[in-house]
Amino acid sequence: MRTREARLPGNYHDAVVKWRDTFIPDYDFLMDNWEKHFPKEPRFKLCAFRELGICNEIECGDDVGKPKITCPSDLGPDRARHLLGAIRAQASTEFGSIQQHRLTLARAQEETDQVWVLRMMAEELRHGYQMLHLLLEDDWSSVSDQTGPDLVEEILSMQTGSHVLGAFNIDFDSFVDNIVFCALIDRVGKYQLAMQRVSAYKPMAESMPKMLREEAFHLATGVVPMRRWATEAAEGDVYISMEMLQKAINKWLPRGLEMFGDERGGGSNVRMGFKPMKNAEAQDQYRAEVGKLVDDLNMRYLRARLPELGRNEADKLMEEIETERSTRHGVGWEDLIHLSHPHFFRRRGVPAFTMVGFEGETFEALDDYTAHLRRHLPESYLAGRDFRDYLETLKQVAAGELSAVDASRRMPSLRRVGGSCPCSRSVRWVSEEPLPAAADQPAS
Ligand SMILES: [Fe+2]
Ligand SMILES: [Fe+2]
């Protein structure tokens, strides 16, 4: 397996470093302590990686079997426009998650958890860098009026609230959010990357393998502390309860499901050869995978509560508790974590702004649904802007003043906050210097 290593042209690279200094102020701490925490792993490096020797033929869609495409102008306008949108969205999520994580990073109780999140943030920066590399290395002028500097500036000047995808517009309220986000939302990232590994656009496909290896670490950054917390909760620690984990999952899972796009869509991605699965299929697989994570947490909790049980006995007991909703040996159904119904608390896609409860029950009265959400979501989240915006919009839908489709459109979406307006609060990150001729450094 060979990899080509590439760097953005000088001023773009510097813009990302400047962004890093603002949003990852502990980056130097990470590098100074790298060997202590990750003694067997190569040091983090800010660059783009392209895996060489991947499949040369288109693997899905109308053009299956034809050679993969290497430059945007050969894609045709529809496919090129579609792909450009996907790369911008991907870049936005990478930078967006860093802005969220930094809010509560310092609140971790364990240094190891904190350093793992910090490494994950650095790797998200590299993922964003990788996407900028896709935008800058090739010529997108056939489908976009934006110049390279415009595209980069737009992405680097986004703040929480202006990112393309909803999950990246929601503030973190505690370090539990950092961890549950990694376990749930980075898992969506893993699905997207795995699907894009077969992309008909070869530079995209080549960008995926390294990102996927890094994404596996991001999932571990979430899952490992969640497992520990479930065990500690069973042993009587007061810090993070199963209820807190449940509510944090309730906050993030609906957003994770929505990141796959509308349940009726995704056909054009498959036809165009960019992804092998439609939205609903990928979303179902994702939800089943989160279900396995929850089962694992529950089993760890049960076995820590009842350490005298063997594996088979624990399996049997768990099945009884789950199917009968009973309490056995002091462990009840309500002590465990459960997956919300896929239509619960949704604001995009087929069930957007329907009042569907945690178990799939439907509500007629807005007040009843609001009370239901209050019981199932973290208190700190209820006090935030995102929930208020959602509820205000839901009220209008329930009153018949707004259609669900228009309401969905109103939820946080892309806004241009870049520096064309001198009174904009955002910062211009890219200086207007001529580009150096060579974009790449030799592979190493
Ligand atoms: Fe990422
Ligand atoms: Fe990630």
Side-chain angles (χ1 to χ4, degrees), residues 136-402:
L136 292 170
E137 191 176 65
D138 290 323
D139 178 11
W140 295 91
S141 59
S142 60
V143 285
S144 174
D145 296 336
Q146 284 180 301
T147 60
D150 277 350
L151 284 167
V152 174
E153 191 199 325
E154 179 180 70
I155 289 162
L156 293 183
S157 61
M158 286 180 189
Q159 297 279 353
T160 303
S162 65
H163 286 282
V164 179
L165 295 173
F168 297 88
N169 290 316
I170 301 169
D171 286 339
F172 287 12
D173 300 309
S174 82
F175 194 70
V176 174
D177 277 332
N178 294 71
I179 294 304
V180 174
F181 188 97
C182 285
L184 264 59
I185 303 301
D186 283 67
R187 194 178 300 273
V188 181
K190 183 195 83 168
Y191 269 84
Q192 303 292 13
L193 301 181
M195 289 192 282
Q196 286 168 186
R197 191 163 46 182
V198 307
S199 179
Y201 184 58
K202 201 172 178 195
M204 175 64 104
E206 288 173 339
S207 297
M208 292 302 115
K210 174 73 173 169
M211 288 174 76
L212 267 164
R213 287 193 288 278
E214 288 164 332
E215 213 56 54
F217 175 76
H218 304 178
L219 292 191
T221 301
V223 170
V224 171
M226 284 174 88
R227 287 175 176 169
R228 196 181 69 238
W229 290 342
T231 306
E232 289 170 353
E235 289 164 352
D237 272 7
V238 296
Y239 302 121
I240 294 137
S241 62
M242 292 290 269
E243 188 189 359
M244 280 168 79
L245 288 176
Q246 172 76 71
K247 287 185 171 178
I249 292 172
N250 296 348
K251 169 179 172 179
W252 291 110
L253 182 59
R255 305 290 80 79
L257 296 174
E258 286 167 356
M259 287 172 69
F260 287 91
D262 190 289
E263 284 84 351
R264 293 158 292 200
S268 42
N269 264 321
V270 177
R271 259 193 332 276
M272 292 176 178
F274 293 139
K275 289 179 184 176
M277 272 189 284
K278 290 186 186 180
N279 297 348
E281 187 186 354
Q283 192 195 56
D284 283 350
Q285 285 188 17
Y286 164 78
R287 188 168 176 278
E289 203 177 281
V290 176
K292 283 192 188 141
L293 164 67
V294 164
D295 289 346
D296 175 61
L297 295 174
N298 286 338
M299 186 50 80
R300 284 166 193 274
Y301 177 84
L302 183 76
R303 297 198 73 184
R305 282 281 299 268
L306 304 166
E308 65 278 11
L309 293 186
R311 181 76 212 199
N312 289 345
E313 290 169 298
D315 280 344
K316 192 164 169 280
L317 195 71
M318 180 66 81
E319 205 185 317
E320 285 169 9
I321 296 171
E322 290 283 10
T323 51
E324 297 164 15
R325 298 201 174 192
S326 55
T327 299
R328 297 291 166 91
H329 301 283
V331 179
W333 186 84
E334 59 287 343
D335 295 324
L336 303 174
I337 299 172
H338 304 97
L339 274 195
S340 58
H341 188 276
H343 292 184
F344 168 73
F345 186 37
R346 290 284 304 274
R347 58 200 200 187
R348 281 184 190 270
V350 170
F353 292 97
T354 52
M355 294 194 276
V356 176
F358 184 80
E359 297 198 51
E361 67 275 40
T362 50
F363 289 79
E364 296 298 326
L366 180 69
D367 286 351
D368 293 343
Y369 191 54
T370 310
H372 179 79
L373 290 178
R374 197 169 58 222
R375 279 198 302 282
H376 286 278
L377 292 167
E379 242 176 54
S380 49
Y381 172 69
L382 298 177
R385 189 192 58 186
D386 185 74
F387 184 66
R388 191 189 177 101
D389 287 349
Y390 161 79
L391 211 53
E392 293 297 320
T393 310
L394 179 64
K395 275 181 197 164
Q396 293 180 41
V397 175
E401 295 161 11
L402 192 67

Side-chain angles (χ1 to χ4, degrees), residues 57-73:
E57 289 175 0
I58 295 178
E59 296 165 71
C60 63
D62 294 344
D63 291 338
V64 71
K66 290 185 185 167
K68 285 200 173 174
I69 293 158
T70 52
C71 84
S73 54

